[in-house]
Amino acid sequence: MACQLVSLLLIGIAAWGIGFGLISSLRVVGVVIAVGIFLFLIALVGLIGAVKHHQVLLFFYMIILLLVFIVQFSVSCACLALNQEQQGQLLEVGWNNTASARNDIQRNLNCCGFRSFNPNDTCLASCVKSSHQCSPCAPIIGKYAGEVLRFVGGIGLFFSFTEILGVWLTYRYRNQKDPRANPSAFL
């Protein structure tokens, strides 16, 4: 159930970001929606396996959920463990490698350049059009990055523990005898 909730939440947030024009990068939105659909399908496999008491489906659900737990737990711990300097380095790498996200950030936060603005670069911020002094984006992004990383890390950590609970419950349920089966049958 938690996996379905997370998957629908991911798909909804991606749609919300597109709808309000906060995110114009189709690659980022596509990845978020793909992860949401993947999690939804995994949750559906677990649900069908539990309803049908299908040993193989439950086994694959348990293994995939364990792998998702490992990845999510690792990413959540990394989000919570980053210090200010590491956050700055990570943001600068992301800034240099994505032009569409860079344009979205400059337009939405009204800033130009990461640490300094080169007048030869393009900037979609309104401060350039009105010929005001534009501030660099690094301090503005850095102010929000720590809060977002702590929030994402905490939520990820919470859901990773619900996933390990799902793995344990699936293991327990998988080893039970099907109540609808023939009582004289061994399994």
Side-chain angles (χ1 to χ4, degrees):
M1 187 67 178
C3 200
Q4 288 174 336
L5 177 67
V6 171
S7 66
L8 293 175
L9 189 63
L10 282 173
I11 295 169
I13 287 173
W16 177 76
I18 289 175
F20 281 103
L22 298 174
I23 304 170
S24 66
S25 173
L26 292 178
R27 190 177 293 171
V28 171
V29 173
V31 168
V32 171
I33 289 176
V35 169
I37 290 171
F38 172 74
L39 286 176
F40 188 78
L41 291 175
I42 296 304
L44 198 60
V45 165
L47 186 64
I48 292 170
V51 168
K52 301 266 186 192
H53 209 288
H54 196 278
Q55 295 280 326
V56 176
L57 282 178
L58 288 174
F59 175 76
F60 282 116
Y61 172 73
M62 185 175 64
I63 295 300
I64 292 171
L65 197 60
L66 181 65
L67 293 174
V68 168
F69 161 75
I70 292 169
V71 169
Q72 189 169 344
F73 183 77
S74 302
V75 169
S76 297
C77 289
C79 285
L80 293 171
L82 287 177
N83 61 24
Q84 292 289 92
E85 181 182 324
Q86 292 167 334
Q87 288 175 19
Q89 291 171 352
L90 184 65
L91 289 172
E92 191 166 8
V93 167
W95 181 270
N96 293 331
N97 291 328
T98 58
S100 61
R102 183 183 321 144
N103 291 335
D104 289 341
I105 291 168
Q106 290 176 350
R107 183 174 30 94
N108 290 330
L109 297 180
N110 198 23
C111 59
C112 288
F114 190 70
R115 299 209 191 276
S116 62
F117 177 59
N118 184 358
N120 296 330
D121 290 342
T122 58
C123 181
L124 301 176
S126 60
C127 61
V128 170
K129 297 171 187 165
S130 63
S131 68
H132 285 97
Q133 179 68 23
C134 290
S135 60
C137 294
I140 298 170
I141 299 171
K143 183 171 50 173
Y144 297 113
E147 296 172 14
V148 169
L149 284 172
R150 281 191 301 274
F151 179 74
V152 168
I155 295 293
L157 204 59
F158 171 76
F159 281 112
S160 69
F161 285 120
T162 61
E163 288 166 0
I164 200 67
L165 178 67
V167 168
W168 179 73
L169 288 173
T170 303
Y171 176 76
R172 296 278 306 206
Y173 184 72
R174 188 175 167 272
N175 290 330
Q176 288 181 347
K177 195 172 180 180
D178 188 0
R180 298 172 301 192
N182 184 0
S184 62
F186 178 66
L187 288 173

